Structures are given as C-alpha cells and as structure tokens.
Amino acid sequence: MDSEHSLERVIDTLTARFPHHDPQTVAETVYATHARLRENATVATHLAALTQRQAGDTLTHLRPRRTQQA
C-alpha cells in the first residue's frame, strides 16, 4: 500500500472518529503530523499507524470547529 493511500485511509478514519472537526482540519492535521514524523523516521513501516495515533491525539485536544453548511 502506498503512502498516499495509507494517509487517505487515516484521514477517513479520523474524520469519522472526530465528526465535530472540519474534514479539512483533519486532513491538514494528518499531513502535518506525517511530514513531521517522516523527517525523523529511520523506518517507514509503521509511519501511517503512528501518524493516526499522533494526529488523533492532536485532534482530541484541538478546539472543535466545523464549517457551517447552508
């Protein structure tokens, strides 16, 4: 499974887990977390799982914001 597909799955999972956050915020959090982790990673095997866990922790502590739909 390629990295982009893995990240899309993480985004889908966290969007469902945090419905009170805007999906764009979830995606940005996932991509930023992944980039930060990738910088220091010596092995990429579990990078998607680590990204999901750390992005989830970040979203847990982030003030919920959802865009208003007309």
Side-chain angles (χ1 to χ4, degrees), residues 12-59:
D12 290 345
T13 299
L14 292 179
T15 298
R17 184 172 155 203
F18 296 96
H20 51 281
H21 285 299
D22 181 69
Q24 183 65 34
T25 300
V26 174
E28 290 171 359
T29 302
V30 168
Y31 285 122
T33 302
H34 183 263
R36 183 175 41 79
L37 290 172
R38 189 181 59 222
E39 283 180 11
N40 299 315
T42 55
V43 178
T45 305
H46 302 289
L47 202 51
L50 290 171
T51 298
Q52 181 171 328
R53 190 165 101 197
Q54 288 195 11
D57 289 347
T58 299
L59 291 166

